[in-house]
Amino acid sequence: MFSGMLFIFSPLVVGYLISISNNKRLATINTLTSNLIYLILALMGLSLAALDNLSGNLQTILTLTLTFFVFIGGCNLLALPFVDKYFPIKTEGKAQQFPLSSMFLESAKLLFVVCGGLIIGLFLPFDLSWVDTASEWILFLLLFFIGIQLRNSGLTLRQILLNKHGMILAVVMVGTSMIGGLLSALVLDMPIFQGLAMASGFGWYSLAGILMGDAFGPLYGGASLMLELLRELVALVLIPVLIGRKPCTAIGYAGATAMDFTLPIIQTTGGVKCVPIAIVSGFLLSILVPVLMLFFVSLAS
């Protein structure tokens, strides 16, 4: 059980051991990681095309997505305001306008890639038996590059430990997401550990979709991708609305994306005081996505 987890997790660990100071090399790795994500999501679309009863499976994906979204998001939003109440922070109080349309489009690109793979698989009849094997090997390479990115993100252990708000937000997000995953699994009558694995994406839609797809097939991979993508899109709307009054709630709900994708809107609408909190919270959750997801996958196997 754990040997399989270690086998899949090892590229991430090896990558995390590599320190790179050359900015040009890091930029190349970032580009390669983005390209691999697009490639493996296109393969996910091909895998969906190979499923029998596609319309029924798409309905199942939608049911999984909405159930987990409601329970996980509900638990997150019930608990995060208490962080604002007992550990308040002050924002700069001068929210600025931010081009949300461009960020929505950026999020939608990954969904378009999956749909493109699905359309190709449906209308170009060719053997798809190689897709699962190819996806697994690309996943290993992707985890290796992600490990390098996390190691060279610029955060030291001291910076993480000294940022109380960031650590608290990460703990609250993990705890409430697990509760939401447990409730979703009970409602959907699915294995508990599988539900907890689904709840471990924390907004990192590309990696979550890929890991769940590799572990449980394209049905769950597609649902996980949609779940985390939906979280990010909702976060883009909630952050400008909430960050003035409940900054911890706004930053926490952004999940792992608070350190990268949603960071510009957090900084623009909440001010520079929110940036260290968002980076630490997002970094911790990003580290935990592959750790927790692969752990629960190993228990569900």
Side-chain angles (χ1 to χ4, degrees), residues 233-293:
L233 295 177
V234 172
L236 290 176
V237 176
L238 287 182
I239 289 169
V241 174
L242 292 178
I243 202 162
R245 295 173 291 110
K246 296 187 181 297
C248 290
T249 301
I251 295 169
Y253 187 79
T257 69
M259 75 170 290
D260 44 52
F261 191 81
T262 57
L263 183 60
I265 193 171
I266 289 172
Q267 179 176 357
T268 303
T269 58
V272 293
K273 289 184 179 179
C274 294
V275 172
I277 299 170
I279 291 176
V280 170
S281 172
F283 177 81
L284 290 172
L285 290 172
S286 296
I287 284 280
L288 290 172
V289 170
V291 173
L292 290 178
M293 190 166 283

Side-chain angles (χ1 to χ4, degrees), residues 8 27 43 49 90 122 128 130 134 148 169 217 226 273 280 296:
I8 298 175
L43 292 176
K90 290 184 179 180
L122 289 174
L128 297 175
W130 53 273
I148 295 176
L169 285 178
M226 292 292 294
K273 289 184 179 179
V280 170
F296 290 127

Side-chain angles (χ1 to χ4, degrees), residues 16-286:
Y16 192 79
L17 295 176
I18 299 175
S19 178
I20 298 176
S21 57
N22 188 302
N23 290 331
K24 188 175 181 180
R25 289 182 181 175
L26 285 174
T28 301
I29 289 172
N30 292 337
T31 302
L32 287 172
T33 303
S34 298
N35 292 336
L36 285 175
I37 287 172
Y38 284 121
L39 176 58
I40 203 167
L41 290 177
L43 292 176
M44 182 187 296
L46 289 176
S47 297
L48 287 171
L51 292 174
D52 296 327
N53 186 21
L54 181 60
S55 60
N57 284 317
L58 290 177
Q59 185 176 356
T60 301
I61 289 175
L62 184 61
T63 300
L64 288 169
T65 300
L66 292 178
T67 303
F68 276 93
F69 176 76
V70 168
F71 280 103
I72 294 174
C75 290
N76 294 157
L77 292 174
L78 282 174
L80 286 168
F82 288 99
V83 182
D84 281 300
K85 181 177 179 179
Y86 294 106
F87 303 94
I89 58 174
K90 290 184 179 180
T91 59
E92 292 186 351
K94 48 178 183 179
Q96 303 176 32
Q97 294 297 317
F98 201 85
L100 288 179
S101 58
S102 61
M103 299 189 75
F104 276 117
L105 182 60
E106 193 67 29
S107 297
K109 281 182 182 178
L110 296 182
L111 191 57
F112 291 151
V113 171
V114 177
C115 292
L118 174 62
I119 292 170
I120 290 173
L122 289 174
F123 291 100
L124 294 181
F126 55 86
D127 179 41
L128 297 175
S129 60
W130 53 273
V131 171
D132 289 341
T133 301
S135 298
E136 189 167 320
W137 284 107
I138 296 171
L139 172 61
F140 290 155
L141 187 59
L142 177 65
L143 288 172
F144 173 70
F145 286 141
I146 287 174
I148 295 176
Q149 287 180 318
L150 291 172
R151 170 63 183 271
N152 297 278
S153 62
L155 274 183
T156 65
L157 182 60
R158 177 181 172 83
Q159 290 172 315
I160 294 173
L161 293 176
L162 289 178
N163 195 293
K164 176 180 68 176
H165 284 91
M167 294 189 69
I168 291 172
L169 285 178
V171 170
V172 171
M173 283 297 294
V174 171
T176 55
S177 294
M178 294 302 102
I179 294 172
L182 176 63
L183 293 174
S184 300
L186 293 174
V187 168
L188 294 168
D189 194 25
M190 64 188 294
I192 297 299
F193 290 123
Q194 196 168 339
L196 294 176
M198 277 284 291
S200 301
F202 308 130
W204 194 347
Y205 47 78
S206 54
L207 183 60
I210 291 165
L211 290 176
M212 289 298 294
D214 181 69
F216 302 114
L219 200 67
Y220 288 93
S224 185
L225 172 68
M226 292 292 294
L227 168 64
E228 305 306 339
L229 183 59
L230 187 57
R231 168 191 285 278
E232 181 174 279
L233 295 177
V234 172
L236 290 176
V237 176
L238 287 182
I239 289 169
V241 174
L242 292 178
I243 202 162
R245 295 173 291 110
K246 296 187 181 297
C248 290
T249 301
I251 295 169
Y253 187 79
T257 69
M259 75 170 290
D260 44 52
F261 191 81
T262 57
L263 183 60
I265 193 171
I266 289 172
Q267 179 176 357
T268 303
T269 58
V272 293
K273 289 184 179 179
C274 294
V275 172
I277 299 170
I279 291 176
V280 170
S281 172
F283 177 81
L284 290 172
L285 290 172
S286 296

